[in-house]
Amino acid sequence: EDKDQSVTINASGKPGNNLSVISAETNDTVKVSGSSDDLAKITSLNATANVQGLMDDSTQFLEVQAVDASGNVLTGVECQPKVVKADIVLGNTKEVPVTTPKTSGDVSSGYKVSSVTVNPSSITIGGKQAVLDQISSVAVSDINVSGAVSNVTSENSLNLPNGVTNMDGSNKVKVTAAVEALIEKSYTVDTVEKRNVPEGLTVSKLQDSSVVVKLSGTASELQNLDVKTIAVWVDLTGKAKGKSDVQIQVKSPKGSVKSVSPEKTFVTLEESE
């Protein structure tokens, strides 16, 4: 077998000064030779750096070993070169939250993204202290929901600055966008608030005391929506004595307002006693 293979650098021991190994890598590649049986058993080529008590970044020359799936060294395999040059970078670690990513694209008509979650929701990053001090969270690339009619899950890349690594070795997290069908539901609201009644006047008559509000939203948004949380009001700013027609206004904490019936009502204002 005559192809160049990469070498994994492991670290043994614990650096001094509460430091951690942020990266241990080599750019060197090796060629392996041996019986075809032995070569078939290789799962990785490893070299181990001793970092016990290490206080600074260092370059070490390490012997390469071929190991099988159980981690046993394959003595019949020869690596050329036998030794590789490895760079050991030390630094500090810090746990930071992963920012919930944005969505890109539009879900199918009649559907809505009801939530976006990221797993894990926080990671431990490593790097030089001066760099870590400037990082309070880690961003993730957007999740594409174009045309979706059901939940979308994808592995998305973490946007890590140079010199910063995710200590669990991966640069991706799992992002899930929950996509739900939109439904419409009608609610009867029995109280119409009277806001901004002009000074010196009082409402003697409001023609409609209850209205029907039609909302559009996902089933999970609307199924346990308390009708008391839907605000319905008329704004009487600047209205004069006598009868006037006013727009009925609606605000719902969930879903979006499709219609209100009636849209207008009549209010009669009199001088207050």
Side-chain angles (χ1 to χ4, degrees), residues 186-207:
S186 293
Y187 301 83
T188 302
V189 181
D190 289 330
T191 38
V192 178
E193 290 175 55
K194 307 163 198 62
R195 295 187 183 173
N196 302 317
V197 178
E199 209 167 324
L201 296 177
T202 178
V203 176
S204 63
K205 187 166 184 224
L206 180 64
Q207 183 178 304

Side-chain angles (χ1 to χ4, degrees), residues 93-101 117-126 132-141 157-161 164-166 172-175:
T93 61
K94 171 180 180 179
E95 190 174 342
V96 289
V98 178
T99 314
T100 305
T117 50
V118 57
N119 185 16
S121 57
S122 67
I123 58 170
T124 299
I125 55 173
L132 293 185
D133 285 344
Q134 293 172 17
I135 301 174
S136 54
S137 63
V138 172
V140 188
S141 57
S157 304
L158 293 163
N159 302 336
L160 292 169
V164 175
T165 54
N166 180 3
K172 290 189 183 293
V173 287
K174 186 171 157 189
V175 180

Side-chain angles (χ1 to χ4, degrees), residues 195-198 234-240 246 249 269:
R195 295 187 183 173
N196 302 317
V197 178
V234 289
D235 185 343
L236 302 175
T237 304
K239 295 290 177 199
V246 285
Q249 304 193 47
L269 290 170

